[in-house]
Amino acid sequence: MGYVLRGPLLEGALVRLEPLGHRHAADLAVAAEERRETYAYTWVPRADEVGGYVDAQLARAATGRLAPYAQVSVATGRAVGATAYWEPRCRRSEERLDAVEVGFTWLGASAQGTGINAESKLLLFRHAFETWHVSRVDLKTDARNTRSRAAIQTTGAHFEGILRNWSRSWAPGENDRLRDSAIFSVTAEEWPECRRRLEERVAGFVNRRG
């Protein structure tokens, strides 16, 4: 099977990243129906699709290529979205993880702009760089998704370019189409500055809440 991704529990001040399970389905069904126009080019299941969505993510996890999470609000204890590590790449040794992607990310509308996304990225990046010692973390989104691209850039990730007809489109009504993907990355050399920026952003949200 090669390298198997195993995502541990990751805890912050605003968000707790719990390995995804069916116990999160009821909360995710509520979050998924909040102002669906905010999802734009990101596919988010409808409430009645969440059970199948969790099954699909767990099936991907069983291949060792995905480590899915529920994003749980510390303030409410409710799951408000999802994210994942995926596409592990081992270039030098099957035992050593060199790169990983952070993706499959969505948040219910009420959790957007609260600092949960910023802290989720901080937790995921920190574990990848400081525990797994990867050389890079990738992020990608539909090239047309200006909102997602702007959010990714606030993490300190660098835009690398557009890969044309790169992956399946998740936009409504485009099930049979391929999309252009905007690719971003953070390298190990860039991580200290990226970490500083993310910690400052998260601290601002925490102070506002307090």
Side-chain angles (χ1 to χ4, degrees), residues 89-123:
R89 298 188 299 287
C90 302
R91 303 304 192 200
R92 291 170 284 189
S93 163
E94 283 300 310
E95 304 302 318
R96 177 175 178 177
L97 184 63
D98 288 309
V100 70
E101 185 166 333
V102 170
F104 285 94
T105 300
W106 63 271
L107 278 174
S110 63
Q112 296 171 23
T114 65
I116 283 177
N117 180 61
E119 190 171 46
S120 289
K121 295 300 191 293
L122 174 61
L123 295 172

Side-chain angles (χ1 to χ4, degrees), residues 46 73 75 88 142 195 199 203:
R46 302 299 311 223
S73 165
D142 192 307
R195 176 175 177 164
E199 287 176 340

Side-chain angles (χ1 to χ4, degrees), residues 140-189:
K140 67 174 181 282
T141 189
D142 192 307
R144 299 167 293 179
N145 194 341
T146 55
R147 181 174 182 165
S148 177
R149 289 174 64 169
I152 290 172
Q153 287 185 296
T154 64
T155 70
H158 287 259
F159 174 61
E160 294 190 333
I162 305 292
L163 297 179
R164 297 178 296 167
N165 291 344
W166 180 251
S167 59
R168 171 186 172 183
S169 174
W170 295 102
E174 295 186 357
N175 293 342
D176 60 344
R177 291 180 55 181
L178 295 174
R179 75 178 194 190
D180 295 349
S181 291
I183 307 299
F184 298 79
S185 70
V186 179
T187 66
E189 294 77 14

